[in-house]
Amino acid sequence: MSTDEKKVITFAQLQEHSSRDDLYILIHGKVYAASKFLDEHPGGDEVILAEAGKDATEAFEDVGHSDEARDVLNGLYIGDFDGADAKAVKNAPGPGVTPGSSQSTGRSVIQTVTKSGAITNFILGL
């Protein structure tokens, strides 16, 4: 995507695109269309789906992705995140997902916070 075509994605748009077939992921202030990559992700699709509708930067960095993985992002890039919405997305659990809630996938999400403030999502199948 050229600079002229770059879109600015709002928090509302990020949350609207949170399904397996239409998924946007936010990493380092940039938004990526991740649906096509879900089946190829070596860590499985659940780890990406768990970050739908919120800032996935910390989860992405905590894993220690390779340079090759970072290159894959370039092909998925669709635009920049609207900075005015940054505070709202930082604390968002994701669209329709709250810690301990059941999702339509029949899974439970447990969210823990470490002493350093890192948030970890555990997805439990039922």
Side-chain angles (χ1 to χ4, degrees), residues 87-114:
K87 191 172 187 176
V89 76
K90 184 162 181 79
N91 298 317
V97 178
T98 55
S101 70
S102 288
Q103 301 178 38
S104 61
T105 60
R107 296 184 177 102
S108 245
V109 177
I110 298 173
Q111 195 171 63
T112 61
V113 180
T114 65

Side-chain angles (χ1 to χ4, degrees), residues 16-24 33-36 38-39 49:
E16 286 171 12
H17 298 272
S18 60
S19 70
R20 183 181 218 323
D21 296 327
D22 184 19
L23 182 65
Y24 286 4
S35 295
K36 295 178 190 173
L38 288 176
D39 292 333
L49 289 167

Side-chain angles (χ1 to χ4, degrees), residues 25-124:
I25 296 294
L26 171 62
I27 301 172
H28 290 296
K30 296 183 184 288
V31 180
Y32 303 92
S35 295
K36 295 178 190 173
F37 183 68
L38 288 176
D39 292 333
E40 298 172 34
H41 187 252
D45 60 353
E46 286 100 3
V47 295
I48 297 175
L49 289 167
E51 300 303 316
K54 58 185 177 178
D55 190 344
T57 302
E58 189 170 344
F60 181 82
E61 292 300 340
D62 283 351
V63 174
H65 283 91
S66 66
D67 290 339
E68 290 82 11
R70 293 171 191 280
D71 288 342
V72 168
L73 287 177
N74 292 332
L76 304 175
Y77 175 75
I78 57 167
D80 290 334
F81 186 67
D82 180 3
D85 284 341
K87 191 172 187 176
V89 76
K90 184 162 181 79
N91 298 317
V97 178
T98 55
S101 70
S102 288
Q103 301 178 38
S104 61
T105 60
R107 296 184 177 102
S108 245
V109 177
I110 298 173
Q111 195 171 63
T112 61
V113 180
T114 65
K115 288 181 183 178
S116 66
I119 296 174
T120 304
N121 290 316
F122 295 94
I123 302 172
L124 307 172

